[in-house]
Amino acid sequence: MVSQITYNTDRLQNVCDYLNKWGHEIKRTQIHNSILTGKVITLNDHIWQRLENTDSKGFKKGEYNKLPKTLKWRRLFMRMLFGKAQKKPIIISYDVNKYYLLEGDKKLVISKILGKRPKVIFATL
């Protein structure tokens, strides 16, 4: 069980709308409760390859030149490079081999470039 999770509630509604669009009758409270009871795992290739709505698939280890040149990205990159504590990305498993990223795409992109396996909050509906 994970405590003190923060995420954008607008994105929670986006996930709810997305899943309902594809025939899954899911309510916001169900998603919220699954996040609260989620587990912290190390993201593996199986989940990463099947993860929907992430830009991290387009990056490879060492492709620093593809990283956006904005200050926000650079600050996050430096914090992650030196191992500073970060909020964990949140992944929701909503069906067999179907995973939706709620929060943390930038962290996944930077982890991919650094060649690191990120720790994520894994919630199951």
Side-chain angles (χ1 to χ4, degrees):
M1 186 167 177
V2 183
S3 62
Q4 296 186 357
I5 300 172
T6 58
Y7 56 88
N8 186 327
T9 54
D10 292 337
R11 289 191 183 151
L12 185 66
Q13 185 59 48
N14 292 345
V15 173
C16 194
D17 293 343
Y18 175 82
L19 295 178
N20 288 332
K21 176 179 146 184
W22 292 105
H24 301 277
E25 293 185 28
I26 304 293
K27 296 181 181 174
R28 286 174 59 139
T29 54
Q30 289 175 281
I31 297 171
H32 177 73
N33 291 337
S34 71
I35 292 168
L36 292 178
T37 58
K39 296 180 178 162
V40 176
I41 65 165
T42 301
L43 187 58
N44 59 43
D45 285 335
H46 176 80
I47 295 171
W48 210 333
Q49 290 169 356
R50 289 164 179 77
L51 187 59
E52 298 173 18
N53 69 311
T54 180
D55 294 329
S56 64
K57 294 178 191 174
F59 292 85
K60 294 180 183 172
K61 182 179 178 181
E63 291 185 326
Y64 303 102
N65 59 335
K66 284 179 120 180
L67 196 63
K69 306 280 188 262
T70 64
L71 186 59
K72 196 173 195 177
W73 276 89
R74 288 179 185 231
R75 283 183 180 160
L76 181 59
F77 177 80
M78 294 306 286
R79 286 196 305 262
M80 290 179 70
L81 179 65
F82 292 109
K84 302 277 185 186
Q86 301 293 318
K87 294 180 198 170
K88 292 172 180 50
I90 301 173
I91 295 174
I92 298 169
S93 172
Y94 66 92
D95 207 347
V96 177
N97 290 328
K98 298 208 180 214
Y99 310 100
Y100 195 89
L101 179 65
L102 174 67
E103 190 84 35
D105 193 40
K106 288 180 184 179
K107 293 175 188 89
L108 294 184
V109 168
I110 293 171
S111 294
K112 186 71 96 78
I113 290 172
L114 292 174
K116 295 183 178 182
R117 296 240 177 235
K119 298 254 186 219
V120 299
I121 297 170
F122 189 76
T124 305
L125 293 175

